[in-house]
Amino acid sequence: MRSSSWPWFCAWLAVGALASLGLVAILSIGVYLLPLALLAAALLATRRGSAAGLPGLVSGLGVPLLYVAFLNRGGPGNVCTTTSTSQSCVDEYNPWVWLAAGVIFLLAGIVLGAVRQRRATLR
């Protein structure tokens, strides 16, 4: 990708990450994040040249999924943490599913951007 399209890619990545976080956390703060993501997308869509970084939206969808994989790195199953004064146990998801989905989205956006840039230079 050209250096001029990277800022747009990063801006769209942030919008995608915000939208994905809104979907992952739909039962809590997601209700407030989704309208914010739509507003940011509308604002970016009206800017000249922003379409060059649109594949960043796809990559951004993977960022919260990677964070969920990180949070569940001890799973799957019941994971207990013991300190000198207490013990707490939580049931964690399989992190490999979240990691795979996050990496696929992240790489898909990068590859899509590279293919799009290559087609633009061939014309």
Side-chain angles (χ1 to χ4, degrees), residues 2-63:
R2 289 187 312 206
S3 61
S4 62
S5 61
W6 278 110
W8 291 119
F9 184 88
C10 292
W12 281 109
L13 184 131
V15 170
L18 187 62
S20 181
L21 182 62
L23 289 175
V24 169
I26 193 70
L27 295 178
S28 58
I29 63 168
V31 176
Y32 303 109
L33 295 179
L34 287 175
L36 188 60
L38 286 173
L39 180 65
L43 181 68
L44 270 179
T46 60
R47 300 293 179 234
R48 176 177 286 191
S50 68
L54 199 53
L57 185 65
V58 177
S59 288
L61 295 175
V63 174

Side-chain angles (χ1 to χ4, degrees), residues 15-120:
V15 170
L18 187 62
S20 181
L21 182 62
L23 289 175
V24 169
I26 193 70
L27 295 178
S28 58
I29 63 168
V31 176
Y32 303 109
L33 295 179
L34 287 175
L36 188 60
L38 286 173
L39 180 65
L43 181 68
L44 270 179
T46 60
R47 300 293 179 234
R48 176 177 286 191
S50 68
L54 199 53
L57 185 65
V58 177
S59 288
L61 295 175
V63 174
L65 302 178
L66 294 173
Y67 182 63
V68 172
F70 174 76
L71 291 177
N72 290 287
R73 65 190 177 275
N78 199 15
V79 178
C80 296
T81 308
T82 305
T83 64
S84 61
T85 59
S86 67
Q87 179 181 8
S88 65
C89 297
V90 284
D91 194 30
E92 293 187 357
Y93 297 113
N94 186 351
W96 295 107
V97 175
W98 294 94
L99 180 66
V103 168
I104 287 170
F105 276 115
L106 193 66
L107 292 178
I110 292 170
V111 168
L112 184 62
V115 167
R116 195 170 167 184
Q117 183 64 39
R118 174 110 170 129
R119 285 186 181 164

